[in-house]
Amino acid sequence: MPAGGKLIQTTPGGERRETVFNGRLLEETGYVEIFPPGEGKTPLFQGSVWFSDARMGDFSHCSTFDTGLPQPHEEALRHMKRDPLAPLWLALAFLALILSWLPPVPDISLRP
């Protein structure tokens, strides 16, 4: 993301701050909009942010990427389909749990 753009942050309390974007986001939680340098009207990034570590807000080296998937929406839908064998896996897990609770079989083999 190019530095020098406009950073607008809205805090959960409703306070709106406007600063110059230097590649790093502020450490406070809130809604963020980053605009390109110049008079760009379309934000490069907009969304709610909360960082457990301040280093996560460093956007100075971020860039766009391609997932390589020709149809990402269709691919996401394919991964969200229900597993038809899920009841079988659940039954097998339940059976393994029941078998683990059975007492061990005593060793009645003859010893020399």
Side-chain angles (χ1 to χ4, degrees):
M1 289 222 183
K6 182 169 58 170
L7 170 66
I8 300 174
Q9 181 182 23
T10 307
T11 64
E15 179 186 351
R16 188 173 165 99
R17 300 179 197 155
E18 187 173 323
T19 59
V20 175
F21 179 64
N22 62 1
R24 294 185 61 87
L25 295 179
L26 304 174
E27 295 179 14
E28 294 90 16
T29 301
Y31 183 79
V32 174
E33 292 177 294
I34 301 173
F35 292 90
E39 295 298 321
K41 302 289 185 204
T42 304
L44 297 172
F45 174 81
Q46 61 182 4
S48 296
V49 294
W50 176 80
F51 303 115
S52 60
D53 185 350
R55 294 174 290 184
M56 295 169 62
D58 186 0
F59 281 76
S60 59
H61 298 291
C62 73
S63 62
T64 59
F65 70 95
D66 183 13
T67 61
L69 299 173
Q71 308 291 338
H73 180 69
E74 286 78 11
E75 192 68 20
L77 290 176
R78 184 177 72 83
H79 286 287
M80 291 171 40
K81 285 184 182 173
R82 184 183 159 132
D83 182 7
L85 298 177
L88 174 66
W89 304 130
L90 185 60
L92 288 174
F94 183 70
L95 178 64
L97 177 68
I98 297 298
L99 290 175
S100 72
W101 288 342
L102 293 176
V105 177
D107 185 14
I108 56 172
S109 60
L110 298 175
R111 297 182 192 252

